[in-house]
Amino acid sequence: MTVPGMLHGVSLGPGDPDLITRRAWSLLTRADAVWTYPVRSLRKESYALDIALRAGLSAPAQHQALLFPMTHDAEKLARHWLKAAETVQALLATGQDVLFLVEGDASTYASFCYLARVLRELDPAARIDVVPGVTSFNAACARLQLPLSEQDDTVAIVPAAYGIAAVEKMLDDFDTLVLMKVKPLLDDLIDLLARRGLLAHSRFIEKAGSPVERIVHDVASLKGSKVNYLSLLLVKNPGRERGELVRGCRKKTSTEIEEDNPNDE
C-alpha cells in the first residue's frame, strides 16, 4: 500500500529571494516533490512561482498551478478551494510530497490556509507541514527602517476591506496599523489619514522586496492613482491616548530586581 505524501506550505517571503528560509530552500531543491502554486486567473502568472524562479530555482518536471480566484462569491470560492484540494489529494495519494508555494507567510492571509482546511475536511489524516516565512509587513518595516512596534505599542493588522469606519475606530486603540490590500479604498484611506493628521506618519509600500518594489513617503500623492493588489499602508499613531498598564505585566529592569533582592552583605 502506498503511503500518502505530505503537503508542505512553503513560505517564500514577500518578494526578495534572499528572504527564503533555509527550511524552505531545502524543500524547494528536492527532486522528488511536486510544486503547486496559486494563480488568481488562468491568464496570470503566479507571483509565488516567480519568487522561486528569481531565486535561481527551476520548477520540477511535475508542477501545477491551482486557481484561487479574486472574488467575494462564497460559492465560487468554495468550488475552487475544493477543486484545488482534490488535485493535491490525488497527487499525495501517489506517495509524492506536494509543495504549495506561498508569497509572504503561509499562515498570514494566504491561500494555503484554505487549501489545508479543505484537504483536512476531505482527509482528516492528511499530513500537512507549514514552513513559516517573512511577512510583507515585516519586510516593509525593514525596508522603511521603521519599527513595527516598540515597548508597549499595540499593533493591528487589518485588511482595508473592513472599511473606513472600522479603520478609524482602530486608530483609537492601536499605535501601529498595518492596512493590507488597500487598493480598493486607497483614496478614502488618504482622506481619513488627512483628517486625523496622520499622513506624515504613514508610508506606502508595494511588492516589498521585489524588483518592482515601490515605496511612497508622500502618501497623499497617491490619491487618484492605481496601485498593485500586493500593497499596504503602514500607519503610525503617535498621538494615541493610552490607558494605564496593568502592574506586574512588564518585565522588571535590573535595577528593580536589585531593589527586590537586596544584598545583605
Side-chain angles (χ1 to χ4, degrees), residues 232-252:
L232 61 83
L233 275 172
L234 183 68
V235 180
K236 290 291 187 177
N237 191 11
R240 186 181 77 85
E241 185 175 342
R242 302 189 183 193
E244 185 177 351
L245 294 169
V246 177
R247 290 180 59 84
C249 290
R250 299 172 75 175
K251 183 177 180 180
K252 292 184 178 182

Side-chain angles (χ1 to χ4, degrees), residues 33 91 110 174 184 188 253:
L91 291 169
F174 295 93
D188 292 334
T253 66

Side-chain angles (χ1 to χ4, degrees), residues 13-35:
D16 182 350
D18 285 342
L19 296 179
I20 296 175
T21 66
R22 292 179 64 178
R23 170 66 176 146
W25 188 269
S26 68
L27 289 168
L28 292 165
T29 52
R30 284 178 49 180
D32 60 342
V34 180
W35 283 15

Side-chain angles (χ1 to χ4, degrees), residues 7-15 19-21 24 28 35-38 40 46-52 68 99-116 129-136 230:
L7 171 63
H8 299 268
V10 183
S11 303
L12 303 176
L19 296 179
I20 296 175
T21 66
L28 292 165
W35 283 15
T36 59
Y37 38 85
R40 298 187 177 92
S46 168
Y47 187 60
L49 177 61
D50 179 63
I51 296 172
F68 290 82
L99 312 185
F100 184 78
L101 279 55
V102 188
E103 67 258 23
D105 172 68
S107 300
T108 311
Y109 300 122
S111 48
F112 179 75
C113 300
Y114 312 120
L115 175 63
D129 169 50
V130 183
V131 180
V134 178
T135 65
S136 59
L230 295 174

Side-chain angles (χ1 to χ4, degrees), residues 131-229:
V131 180
V134 178
T135 65
S136 59
F137 50 87
N138 285 128
C141 287
R143 295 288 293 132
L144 292 164
Q145 297 187 23
L146 287 174
L148 180 63
S149 59
E150 295 181 272
Q151 198 171 3
D152 302 307
D153 283 357
T154 54
V155 179
I157 302 158
V158 191
Y162 273 101
I164 299 302
V167 173
E168 179 155 27
K169 183 178 180 182
M170 290 178 189
L171 287 172
D172 296 327
D173 297 322
F174 295 93
D175 302 293
T176 300
L177 258 64
V178 178
L179 302 177
M180 310 286 291
K181 305 173 184 177
V182 297
K183 179 179 179 179
L185 291 177
L186 183 58
D187 284 2
D188 292 334
L189 288 169
I190 290 172
D191 288 341
L192 168 63
L193 295 173
R195 178 162 51 82
R196 294 290 294 255
L198 294 173
L199 279 176
H201 304 287
S202 303
R203 300 291 183 267
F204 171 91
I205 189 164
E206 181 178 276
K207 289 193 171 183
S210 76
V212 292
E213 172 188 270
R214 179 165 65 135
I215 295 175
V216 179
H217 292 262
D218 180 12
V219 174
S221 68
L222 291 168
K223 192 165 184 180
S225 64
K226 293 183 178 180
V227 299
N228 190 271
Y229 171 77

